[in-house]
Amino acid sequence: MNSYDVIVIGAGNGGLAAAATLAEKGKSVVLFEKHNIPGGCGTSFRRGRFEFEVALHQLSHMGTPEKPGPLREQFRRYGMEEEIDWIQIEELYRVNFPDGTGISIPVGREKCEAFLSKEFPEFTDNIHRYFETVYTFCQQAAAFSAKSAESTGEPGDLKKFMMKKGFPKLYPALAQYGLKSAQEVLDEFFPGCQKLQLALSVYWCFMGMGPNRFPWSILAKCTYIYMEDKPYYLRGTSMMMNQAILEAAKRMGCVAHMNCGVERILVENGRAVGVRDEKGQEYRAKKIISNISPLATYGKLMDPADVPAAAREYLKPYTVGISAITCFIGLDCPPEEIGFTTSFTLNYKSFDVNRDFEDSHKLLPENDPLVATCYTVDDPQVSPKGTSVITAGTLKYGEAWEKLPPEQYYEMKYEAGRRIVARLEEMYPGFASHIEEMEIATPLTHMRYLHHPGGAIYGFEQDLRQSVFFFPTESKLEGLEFASGWVNACGFGPNYTYADTIATKVAQEV
């Protein structure tokens, strides 16, 4: 029998970080991954002479070498920071409006406030108040989180009463805005100014939720983190980062089984005690960390009789989130030749983003906001000399694609690609004539490679009812923990740092 302190299921971002942290802390850990490469969404693939990034837009939580953020410090602990060629992104993003105008948002609070005040002078005071609110909110949220972490057990009735009375005084910004949508807050600060609202709400697309349902608390945190810690990309795609984490984990003692998924979680007396892999080998451990969705963990890796009724009840309110249609495009020209000047752009068909976002339930792109990235802007070396690598797509729920008759799949897939290219041609005349390579991914593609329900790329829907204070972080089976974007805020940085927190807790328990 193979025995370890911890078994980690899945080598996505969270699974890799959990395994590395456990190994760093001297725990015996074994990692299982179905695929032949690590990373989950954080991988790359090649077509012709181009290597395409699958998922990463901007890496958060990094900070600078002189003022490191939590993720850079985590990578330093793994001994892999210097193995990566980090590229600091100089502009946060560009918003292209439906009237043909657009603005590019600079990195840094002072620069951003000054730029937006110049563009929208009538809202200068509100712009300053908004950013002050963002920063105050995030500072209070961090303080509240730290205070909560100190508490043990269930608070008594008196403590609950005191917190209810005292909370608004101790954390006024958190109390006022903690449960508001992004749209509500933007309407408060910038009434009637659609361009300014669109310029400040871009990160809704990183969570797959329109502004009217997107928690402002997540928008505020995204804004704060990218302003303070700076956004990064890396030479060689996110695949290099995840490969480096895996190698670091192995150097520190982790045993990794690639091309070998877990077939069954072994449960005895209401406790997870081990796994059986796809080759029939059994492994025992004091703890199991799952980096795959709770739905798949309970529904596919456990005997139905072993699934706690509490787990079924706990997950019942949570709905599967959105997927995407993405075109991976290699151009035979540099980005400036077609007018692509910012590495990350969000392109709107109209000023009503909430109405347009409803098209995400339809099969094909129509009025959907279009997300486009061109990493070649920040580093010409990410593609062959004189070329560009662009990813462009729309967020789409998987349901319509799952209902599509198989014989219509390729026709609809290429029609979706044609529509996305047509949108790009409108904004960047001559774009289509420079296409050398192109691959298209649909929600079914994500289902195939990620094994996620609905091809979800952001886990459960991250609206006000299912995220922030209500992430499904609890495990209802003793001996089992979760560490992925299904139980926490999505994104590379949040996944790595959350898994580090979970692994640190587990290391203290085993």
Side-chain angles (χ1 to χ4, degrees):
M1 181 69 69
N2 301 293
S3 295
Y4 292 86
D5 289 325
V6 185
I7 294 168
V8 179
I9 303 172
N13 298 337
L16 288 168
T21 295
L22 287 161
E24 176 213 354
K25 296 184 181 303
K27 304 301 177 181
S28 60
V29 55
V30 58
L31 171 67
F32 291 92
E33 170 56 45
K34 276 179 173 288
H35 205 354
N36 63 339
I37 54 175
C41 280
T43 56
S44 64
F45 66 93
R46 296 192 69 89
R47 292 292 183 271
R49 57 178 176 154
F50 297 95
E51 183 173 12
F52 294 104
E53 167 70 54
V54 170
L56 180 61
H57 291 293
Q58 298 176 347
L59 187 64
S60 63
H61 294 77
M62 281 295 288
T64 62
E66 300 75 27
K67 187 182 176 183
L71 185 57
R72 188 182 291 273
E73 291 182 334
Q74 187 175 334
F75 288 165
R76 284 180 178 175
R77 289 182 7 235
Y78 297 164
M80 53 157 282
E81 178 194 8
E82 299 302 322
E83 296 179 15
I84 305 297
D85 195 353
W86 303 105
I87 303 165
Q88 186 172 327
I89 298 174
E90 298 303 325
E91 288 185 333
L92 285 184
Y93 50 77
R94 179 174 178 80
V95 181
N96 288 321
F97 301 118
D99 62 2
T101 63
I103 57 174
S104 297
I105 304 299
V107 174
R109 177 180 175 179
E110 290 185 6
K111 289 182 180 179
C112 187
E113 286 190 34
F115 171 76
L116 290 175
S117 296
K118 184 178 179 180
E119 292 289 318
F120 305 96
E122 68 276 26
F123 285 99
T124 296
D125 290 342
N126 286 25
I127 289 167
H128 293 310
R129 284 198 307 108
Y130 178 78
F131 277 94
E132 186 60 32
T133 303
V134 166
Y135 274 64
T136 301
F137 178 90
C138 290
Q139 290 158 3
Q140 290 182 9
F144 175 69
S145 182
K147 193 71 175 177
S148 299
E150 295 174 4
S151 302
T152 57
E154 283 293 319
D157 291 338
L158 179 60
K159 187 175 181 181
K160 286 182 179 180
F161 177 79
M162 291 173 64
M163 279 300 297
K164 186 175 181 181
K165 288 286 186 180
F167 185 84
K169 293 182 179 179
L170 290 170
Y171 311 103
L174 194 56
Q176 184 174 358
Y177 295 106
L179 293 176
K180 287 191 175 184
S181 71
Q183 192 63 61
E184 287 178 290
V185 180
L186 292 170
D187 283 341
E188 175 188 332
F189 282 89
F190 313 111
C193 190
Q194 294 170 312
K195 284 190 175 182
L196 186 49
Q197 289 191 11
L198 293 180
L200 288 170
S201 64
V202 161
Y203 293 123
W204 67 264
C205 69
F206 280 19
M207 300 293 158
M209 185 59 57
N212 61 351
R213 292 179 60 199
F214 181 40
W216 183 79
S217 57
I218 298 181
L219 175 60
K221 193 168 185 180
C222 285
T223 302
Y224 177 85
I225 287 171
Y226 284 116
M227 288 288 177
E228 290 299 302
D229 288 346
K230 319 304 179 189
Y232 278 80
Y233 189 61
L234 63 154
R235 189 164 290 126
T237 78
S238 60
M239 180 69 205
M240 291 289 290
M241 181 167 54
N242 281 324
Q243 190 64 52
I245 299 173
L246 177 61
E247 294 304 317
K250 290 162 68 175
R251 283 197 305 270
M252 294 184 287
C254 172
V255 176
H257 295 294
M258 309 303 289
N259 278 318
C260 184
V262 166
E263 182 180 79
R264 183 71 66 194
I265 292 175
L266 307 176
V267 179
E268 294 177 0
N269 300 317
R271 179 183 177 86
V273 297
V275 302
R276 183 171 64 248
D277 69 17
E278 293 174 337
K279 299 175 183 177
Q281 293 289 314
E282 291 193 357
Y283 298 77
R284 294 272 170 156
K286 300 169 187 174
K287 281 275 191 175
I288 297 171
I289 295 178
S290 176
N291 185 55
I292 66 175
S293 77
L295 298 176
T297 302
Y298 290 121
K300 294 185 177 180
L301 299 187
M302 293 173 60
D303 188 294
D306 291 330
V307 179
R312 301 180 194 277
E313 192 64 26
Y314 181 57
L315 294 174
K316 192 181 293 183
Y318 292 89
T319 53
V320 172
I322 205 163
S323 188
I325 298 173
T326 308
C327 294
F328 302 92
I329 303 168
L331 301 180
D332 64 5
C333 68
E336 61 272 14
E337 188 169 326
I338 55 164
F340 220 112
T341 58
T342 304
S343 59
F344 169 52
T345 66
L346 188 54
N347 309 282
Y348 289 102
K349 198 74 178 288
S350 83
F351 285 107
D352 192 342
V353 59
N354 293 302
R355 183 193 63 197
D356 290 350
F357 182 73
E358 291 303 311
D359 282 4
S360 60
H361 292 279
K362 298 178 181 178
L363 185 72
L364 293 170
E366 293 187 19
N367 300 305
D368 314 62
L370 180 69
V371 180
T373 58
C374 182
Y375 309 105
T376 314
V377 168
D378 290 301
D379 179 21
Q381 296 182 48
V382 302
S383 63
K385 187 176 180 180
T387 69
S388 309
V389 171
I390 288 177
T391 61
T394 61
L395 296 172
K396 285 289 182 186
Y397 285 95
E399 185 178 7
W401 285 86
E402 290 183 77
K403 293 178 178 178
L404 185 69
E407 62 272 15
Q408 295 180 21
Y409 175 71
Y410 285 103
E411 178 187 353
M412 293 298 101
K413 172 180 173 176
Y414 293 118
E415 174 60 19
R418 186 195 67 76
R419 293 187 182 195
I420 289 170
V421 169
R423 288 273 301 275
L424 291 167
E425 179 68 25
E426 289 178 11
M427 293 180 288
Y428 308 102
F431 179 92
S433 65
H434 288 286
I435 296 176
E436 181 179 321
E437 295 284 349
M438 179 166 152
E439 185 60 88
I440 306 165
T442 71
L444 299 187
T445 312
H446 294 293
M447 289 180 68
R448 175 187 173 193
Y449 285 103
L450 299 176
H451 305 282
H452 286 181
I457 57 175
Y458 297 134
F460 291 117
E461 288 199 289
Q462 304 217 1
D463 61 13
L464 290 163
R465 297 179 298 106
Q466 301 176 79
S467 64
V468 191
F469 303 110
F470 309 109
F471 284 119
T473 56
E474 296 178 28
S475 169
K476 298 300 181 180
L477 180 67
E478 192 176 351
L480 175 67
E481 298 281 353
F482 293 95
S484 73
W486 285 87
V487 298
N488 186 55
C490 293
F492 280 72
N495 283 176
Y496 292 135
T497 55
Y498 180 73
D500 181 51
T501 301
I502 293 297
T504 298
K505 179 177 78 78
V506 168
Q508 294 169 348
E509 298 171 347
V510 299

